[in-house]
Amino acid sequence: MTRKVRVRFAPSPTGPLHIGGVRTALYNYLFARKHGGDFILRIEDTDQKRFVPGAEDYINESLNWLNIAPDEGVQQGGPCAPYRQSERMATYRQYADQLVAAGHAYYAFDTEDDLNVMRERLEAARMPAKYDAASRMSMKNSLTLSEDEVNRRLENGDPYVIRIKLPRKEEVRFHDEVRGWVVVHTAQMDDKVLLKQDGLPTYHLANVVDDHVMDITHVIRGEEWLPSAPLHVLLYRYLGWEETMPKFAHLSLLLKPDGKGKLSKRDGDRLGFPVFPLEWNDPKSGEISSGYRESGYLPEAVLNMLALLGWHPSDNRELFSLDELVEAFSLEKVSKSGAKFDADKARWFNHQYLMQKDNSLIAAEIKQQLTDRDYSASQDYVEAVIGMMKEKVNFIPEIVEAGYFFFEDPTSYDEKVVNKRWNDDVVKHITNIADRWNSLEEFSAEMLESSFKTYAEETGINPGSLMQPIRLAVSGAAGGPPIYDMIALLGRETVVRRMTSADERIRLGSS
Ligand code: GLU
């Protein structure tokens, strides 16, 4: 019988979700959708010391914003609720006990001092300083103490942890869907703590138990968890769950733009791109980190960009809607090597999606910006501005920033154009053209163009030498949307006023 695909994204709420984590969530989402399976969000908050208020809400909000919300999770509920590990604490202990009873785990009573002494001793002997098959026999645990002593300590309430008992010499092998066969020798591993002194599980125990109980079929997660995977494989085996052990897929890292090391929060701040999906206001330090959403990225663009950072479609296509990603995605095409983050490419993706986005939807998004600037214009006018400006920019707010002259007279004039092309002769021509345009029957792009051409023919002036100055007079800028369309949209009165007052305004500005 084939099992229904069930995958999970299992972040710890220790801060804002890194964009690499978002990619992990996305690959899980795509895999689940592709195979008609379930995508689960599990909050791994067993480590209360690292808990950060607001981080869980941040995770939910990020997935919602990106339109990749889970099928089951803390917000959605589901058959395996609760989805927050801190609310499942009662369930883990029995499995630790089961492992002890089966001889695969043991009680360890060592104090912090005992552990330090052990580490120093091993370091002095130039041995790996770890609690393992070799060192555990000189420590205070249920393998070295008598049964009576162990029972006495337990009854006495002495503090202890439960550690896994790793075999001394064994190769742990498992097949990773991205990396192929992974083989790790237990001599390289250590007897990890499964249950802590406070009776709470560590990540390893809680993660494996929940993946089993939640019937997870594929564990798709970041490469940083690869070293933990052999331990998890042994836990599945020792708990008797090997038959239904999930398949593993460890995703390579998202690298800094220069490829040297993992993309970090600092890189974003330094190089001017966000590394978090949403803006994050750190509750402790008050530090604010920028987010894709607040920086004007469209969720579709972020998803498309992330999908291609580490996964390669079979052709060279770059633009994929979410549905198309679902269709095309496969773990076989996930790359083993790290993917370099490329800020220019991120902006390029945003531009592509901005171009596709409906003008009326963009209009709704810039409404506030227009109000803040005291600009008022009809819906049709705003949409026409958007239609002209979106080709020129990468982000929605830039439409109003770069196209402000659609709403007010230019406040500055491109210096280069002024220096190169603005002179008395040009001013004279511009005034004449303004006159002609003022008396046009219809102020349309076609009429404007033909009237200008006639003027150029009559005066013998090179039309090219006037185009940029006209644009300058009307918009202040050296470039922009197609000139006659722009002028027609601005309207007769505005254009004539700007053309006839430009000389004075430029002189005032440059004096
Ligand atoms: N809680 C781990 C994390 O924060 C989950 C790792 C896993 O997916 O197994 O990334």
Side-chain angles (χ1 to χ4, degrees), residues 303-364:
L303 288 182
N304 196 155
M305 166 195 85
L306 281 179
L308 291 181
L309 281 174
W311 165 77
H312 303 285
S314 7
D315 50 18
N316 284 332
R317 189 167 146 205
E318 290 192 291
L319 292 176
F320 289 86
S321 68
L322 189 51
D323 285 346
E324 289 165 346
L325 284 174
V326 168
E327 182 65 30
F329 186 77
S330 77
L331 286 176
E332 291 90 70
K333 296 266 179 212
V334 169
S335 147
K336 277 199 201 61
S337 48
K340 278 189 232 162
F341 186 85
D342 182 342
D344 288 335
K345 197 78 200 198
R347 287 189 280 270
W348 179 85
F349 272 113
N350 209 60
H351 178 74
Q352 301 305 317
Y353 281 89
L354 182 59
M355 292 292 288
Q356 283 179 24
K357 193 168 167 128
D358 204 77
N359 294 346
S360 63
L361 297 176
I362 301 179

Side-chain angles (χ1 to χ4, degrees), residues 7-112:
V7 294
R8 86 304 190 271
F9 177 49
S12 299
T14 53
L17 184 57
H18 186 274
I19 199 74
V22 177
R23 185 190 58 169
T24 302
L26 172 63
Y27 286 12
N28 273 284
Y29 175 93
L30 296 176
F31 189 79
R33 284 289 162 279
K34 167 110 193 176
H35 297 281
D38 301 322
F39 171 47
I40 292 142
L41 172 69
R42 185 173 69 226
I43 299 294
E44 299 211 323
D45 57 349
T46 52
D47 191 352
Q48 291 296 326
K49 285 197 292 290
R50 296 182 60 221
F51 178 81
V52 173
E56 184 188 305
D57 287 344
Y58 182 96
I59 293 165
N60 283 312
E61 205 181 327
S62 301
L63 300 185
N64 290 341
W65 176 62
L66 289 161
N67 201 18
I68 53 170
D71 303 302
E72 298 170 27
V74 278
Q75 278 189 336
Q76 295 72 11
C80 303
Y83 291 90
R84 209 178 269 123
Q85 285 187 327
S86 57
E87 290 167 21
R88 308 173 62 83
M89 289 307 193
T91 62
Y92 303 116
R93 170 139 212 144
Q94 54 177 306
Y95 298 106
D97 290 340
Q98 184 188 324
L99 289 167
V100 174
H104 292 303
Y106 58 92
Y107 301 110
F109 300 96
D110 316 280
T111 62
E112 226 13 81

